[in-house]
């Protein structure tokens, strides 16, 4: 879980230069690469950290719930974004 936390915290500084439009093509590419790298570090350890805290006989169920919650959250965020853009 420490690797996930490290990936999240080290990826944050790479988000803001791109979103604040303070960098251009060259540095923007570096910013996108840095964020993508650290997000990959986070994602690569997502299931491993789940398996650290769940008993082996319950892992498939836990993975299914975690995946379903992620998809439901993404769908809700997409809908909320669309509704907010209309107002």
């Amino acid at each position: 879980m420490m690797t996930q936390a490290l990936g999240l915290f080290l990826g944050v500084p790479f988000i803001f230069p791109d979103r604040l439009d303070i960098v251009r093509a060259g540095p923007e590419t570096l910013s996108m690469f840095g964020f993508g790298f650290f997000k990959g570090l986070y994602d690569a350890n997502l299931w491993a950290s789940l398996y650290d805290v769940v008993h082996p006989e319950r892992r498939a169920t836990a993975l299914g719930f975690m995946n379903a919650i992620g998809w439901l959250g993404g769908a809700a965020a997409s809908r909320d974004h669309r509704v907010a853009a209309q107002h």
Side-chain angles (χ1 to χ4, degrees), residues 27-45:
E28 184 178 62
T29 303
L30 180 62
S31 178
M32 289 169 52
F33 174 79
F35 176 73
F37 177 80
F38 289 114
K39 184 181 183 324
L41 187 67
Y42 170 80
D43 286 343
N45 290 287

Side-chain angles (χ1 to χ4, degrees), residues 1-11 42:
M1 286 191 227
M2 290 299 291
T3 306
Q4 281 185 285
L6 190 70
L8 282 176
F9 288 123
L10 292 177
Y42 170 80

Side-chain angles (χ1 to χ4, degrees), residues 4-82:
Q4 281 185 285
L6 190 70
L8 282 176
F9 288 123
L10 292 177
V12 168
F14 292 101
I15 295 173
F16 294 111
D18 185 38
R19 298 298 179 242
L20 296 176
D21 198 31
I22 59 176
V23 294
R24 296 292 174 240
E28 184 178 62
T29 303
L30 180 62
S31 178
M32 289 169 52
F33 174 79
F35 176 73
F37 177 80
F38 289 114
K39 184 181 183 324
L41 187 67
Y42 170 80
D43 286 343
N45 290 287
L46 190 61
W47 305 126
S49 64
L50 175 72
Y51 290 169
D52 283 345
V53 296
V54 175
H55 293 291
E57 61 271 3
R58 305 269 186 202
R59 287 181 179 169
T61 303
L63 189 137
F65 277 127
M66 195 168 171
N67 203 9
I69 290 169
W71 280 100
L72 289 172
S78 174
R79 179 197 46 140
D80 292 346
H81 186 312
R82 187 174 55 249

